[in-house]
Amino acid sequence: MISAKRTATVVTVMLAVGMLGSAAASRAQNTPAPPPRFDEIVRSDFFAGFRGDAARLERGMKLCEEELATNPTNADALVWHGAGLMFMAGQAGQRQDFATAMDRAQRGRAELDRADRLAPDSLSVMLVRAVTLSASAPNVRDRTQGRIMQESAVAAFERALAIQTPYLDRLSEHSRGELLAGLAEGWSRLGETERSRGYLERIVKEMPDTRYQARARAWLEDGPQSGPVTCLSCHRQ
């Protein structure tokens, strides 16, 4: 079950940066800009929904369902719909409607995993799935299942980092910070203190004079009880 604050993270800015580049190239060549990718069409509705706008969440889910009705292998539609189901599972759990919560969580997890199988090399799918699993894992009552989810999230973050390493220094502060901090946080939850510390030290070294550096230093000194190291800014559209 996923919290609203933990959903809109690293994937947002990364995708926006990519689209700005392609749109600028199209304008320079006096050619039409490419049509928006599906994730760019729905993500603002989902982010608004995760912040509490039920109507926007419903619209995002409906757009995904309409797309999947005609294109059931659209991995972006599937991963966003799965993230929505996980969020809605959390809402049901807060209402103590545990049967609904379990049903939505199971369906959401299945959709996340199917999206990953359909597009294993897609960063947009990889990161939405990783963020959703990482946000959900601490709230899973079955601790074995929660650990499996956290391990899967960390593995996806590690793969995303490997893919983006050649151009990591050109990504935004938010994109780099959330990815490295997500790894530090994920390894910490798995009890891998030294791996977590390695990413915290990397943030301190590579991201001077940023919020991420300050939070990483706090974690190195006082541990997770010092406060969050991820989600240090909000996506707004």
Side-chain angles (χ1 to χ4, degrees):
M1 301 166 192
I2 185 170
S3 70
K5 290 177 66 178
R6 298 296 303 278
T7 304
T9 56
V10 61
V11 66
T12 312
V13 178
M14 180 197 71
L15 294 176
V17 168
M19 277 308 294
L20 284 172
S22 61
S26 296
R27 286 194 297 270
Q29 298 170 16
N30 294 318
T31 58
R37 297 187 304 268
F38 182 80
D39 59 281
E40 294 172 321
I41 295 172
V42 300
R43 68 187 184 212
S44 62
D45 281 332
F46 276 97
F47 292 144
F50 295 149
R51 292 196 299 270
D53 190 330
R56 294 285 298 277
L57 178 60
E58 182 179 358
R59 185 169 73 176
M61 293 291 283
K62 184 177 179 181
L63 287 169
C64 289
E65 289 159 7
E66 290 173 347
E67 173 64 19
L68 290 168
T70 59
N71 183 7
T73 60
N74 186 321
D76 281 303
L78 199 58
V79 79
W80 279 106
H81 194 266
L85 284 172
M86 296 289 276
F87 177 79
M88 293 164 66
Q91 291 180 315
Q94 290 173 358
R95 298 193 303 270
Q96 299 191 9
D97 183 354
F98 299 118
T100 298
M102 182 175 294
D103 174 69
R104 288 175 176 170
Q106 289 175 343
R107 288 191 292 130
R109 176 69 187 280
E111 290 184 2
L112 294 176
D113 290 346
R114 182 165 181 260
D116 181 56
R117 291 192 298 272
L118 287 169
D121 298 322
S122 168
L123 277 169
S124 59
V125 171
M126 193 183 304
L127 287 168
V128 172
R129 178 177 176 274
V131 168
T132 304
L133 291 178
S134 186
S136 303
N139 302 318
V140 175
R141 292 186 176 184
D142 183 333
R143 299 318 306 154
T144 298
Q145 186 59 226
R147 183 176 180 86
I148 290 171
M149 291 170 66
Q150 189 67 67
E151 289 173 343
S152 186
V154 168
F157 281 135
E158 289 281 12
R159 186 149 186 267
L161 177 60
I163 291 171
Q164 295 181 94
T165 290
Y167 53 89
L168 191 68
D169 61 345
R170 298 196 297 274
L171 296 181
S172 70
E173 173 189 319
H174 179 89
S175 294
R176 287 180 291 130
E178 290 295 329
L179 182 56
L180 296 173
L183 281 161
E185 184 178 73
W187 284 120
S188 175
R189 289 178 182 170
L190 292 172
E192 297 283 353
T193 305
E194 288 307 308
R195 288 190 177 186
S196 175
R197 184 178 185 86
Y199 282 110
L200 293 169
E201 291 174 344
R202 182 170 174 179
I203 293 169
V204 170
K205 179 180 178 180
E206 297 180 11
M207 303 191 68
D209 304 318
T210 66
R211 292 166 293 181
Y212 295 97
Q213 184 189 58
R215 294 304 311 139
R217 280 177 171 162
W219 265 50
L220 286 168
E221 292 175 3
D222 300 318
Q225 64 269 22
S226 65
V229 72
T230 58
C231 295
L232 300 187
S233 61
C234 294
H235 174 74
R236 301 185 183 278
Q237 279 191 347

